Amino acid sequence: MKVLVIGSGGREHALAWALKRSAQVTEVVCAPGNGGMAQIARIAPVDLSDLDSMVELALREQPGMVVVGPELPLALGLVDVLRERGLRVFGPTQAAAMLETSKSFAKRFLQRHQIPTANYAVCTSAEEVEKALELFHAPMVVKADGLAAGKGVVICQTRRAAQEAAQGLFTGELLGSDGERQVVVEEFLTGDEVSFLCLCDGTTALPLVAAQDHKRIGEGDTGPNTGGMGVYSTESILDAKTREWVVRHIAEPTLRGMAAEGTPFTGVLYIGLMMTPRGPQVLEFNARFGDPETQAILARLDSDLAEALSAAIDGRLAEIKLRWKPGASACVIASSGGYPGSYETGKEIRGVDAAEQVAEVVVFHSGTALRAGHLLTAGGRVLGVTAVGENLREALARAYEGMRRIQFEGMYFRRDIGHRALRKEG
Ligand code: AMP
Ligand code: GLY
């Protein structure tokens, strides 16, 4: 089977890498791909913000399966169009993707179906925000309704700060866009954050191993938010009993609710959980694989990914049992100096092959490009050095040894990925 992977990040590189190992997969095409995918798959140019260009490519390629990575094509309705044209696509429809693309939809959905989440109010004006804020104690959280590439969430220590944040979202000043018609004001939750991803076929939720990521740029989880600077996956993140609870009280009611509302959810349901003193609560949904969670999760997968995604497309997930490498995995991100602010690209990257000589290390590319045989930086997050090990300490040691062998001008990475989990492990 030929598989078409849509996207250009580390997540898609990891997907292409895992799909290539399947006995069912004869060819992987990545669109638009990056410098890493260019080394393991055929690259086809496509514009991820242009629905027509993606549809044309898929119709021309006629793959046996399409796997959609990023949120933008999902929001544009790529899955709907390709399915109408008879292709087998892994991902949610535009309507089902609203669990990610509209926070007000997701919050109201959670409330309608009594799924645990923070108390909230949806507001359409500064006056409504002011009224809503009377119901919350500081700190409170103000969120853009729509997709905001990680810039849409502001944690506010005072009511005044919350009003200003809401104003910034309404005017668009905070987002560098047209501004939001609605914002969500929400209670601040405390606890450990866990990324819990499930493959879904509309009725069955098949959990992947849980992961924890580090969103902040600075060591000690300080400084501005990023797309994610590192992530790890271990058994200890979520014990079996809690995992069962989350499937039964969050994942399954979500699938039942979506089906009952006429928008069954297929694809990856990424549940952002906060493990609060009151129990696990939903912080957010994503309608896709996480980045860099996917790199660490797929490093541990010991089953055939193509078979599992195929089963999800065909509504046969209940037949699938996934096997995982015991122990742990970790993925450390190398970014361009200046990220998440402005940064330069086009810097030559050296040492990736040497890094992959380290036992159990694989380097997934995010923002890279291959030009005339040279590997160059082409984005904020550049590489995800990923390793598995018998435990987290070993996985991290391998990933950092791999990282030590890589160089490019301005390269930055956090040296404390996994610090909380290591402390817990003692
Ligand atoms: P979201 O895009 O909704 O996941 O928010 C991004 C990040 O903001 C989350 O990963 C959390 O770290 C933080 N966050 C969002 N909502 C809350 C909340 N209600 N309480 C505490 N932190 C939150
Ligand atoms: N790592 C967070 C995300 O993929 O949204």
Side-chain angles (χ1 to χ4, degrees), residues 27 63 79 82 129 153 184 188 203 244 273 275 309 358-359 422:
E27 187 185 5
V79 172
L82 295 185
V129 170
V153 175
V184 174
F188 180 78
T203 44
E244 269 316 298
L273 288 171
M275 311 308 278
L309 301 188
V358 179
L422 284 180

Side-chain angles (χ1 to χ4, degrees), residues 213 215 227 270 286 288-293:
D213 77 344
K215 289 199 170 68
Y270 167 143
N286 293 316
R288 51 169 175 83
F289 283 102
D291 190 338
E293 285 89 340

Side-chain angles (χ1 to χ4, degrees), residues 348-419:
E348 177 139 22
I349 304 167
R350 295 174 203 277
V352 171
D353 291 343
E356 292 195 315
Q357 298 295 314
V358 179
E360 305 291 348
V361 166
V362 40
V363 179
F364 294 120
H365 296 226
S366 301
T368 74
L370 202 55
R371 299 257 155 74
H374 294 275
L375 188 65
L376 305 179
T377 66
R381 290 189 294 172
V382 177
L383 299 168
V385 183
T386 308
V388 292
E390 271 178 33
N391 51 46
L392 182 58
R393 205 169 287 282
E394 186 176 53
L396 283 165
R398 286 170 169 164
Y400 278 114
E401 173 54 27
M403 190 63 98
R404 208 178 57 78
R405 300 180 180 202
I406 295 175
Q407 302 107 35
F408 58 86
E409 193 187 316
M411 172 174 158
Y412 169 82
F413 62 92
R414 277 182 58 172
R415 289 162 201 275
D416 66 340
I417 299 306
H419 65 93

Side-chain angles (χ1 to χ4, degrees), residues 103 118 141 143 153 155 186-190 193 215 225 274 283-284:
K103 295 228 190 265
V141 186
K143 299 184 176 184
V153 175
I155 293 166
E186 184 172 288
E187 161 197 24
F188 180 78
L189 299 176
T190 54
E193 275 184 57
K215 289 199 170 68
N225 258 333
M274 188 72 100
L283 270 184
E284 63 161 343

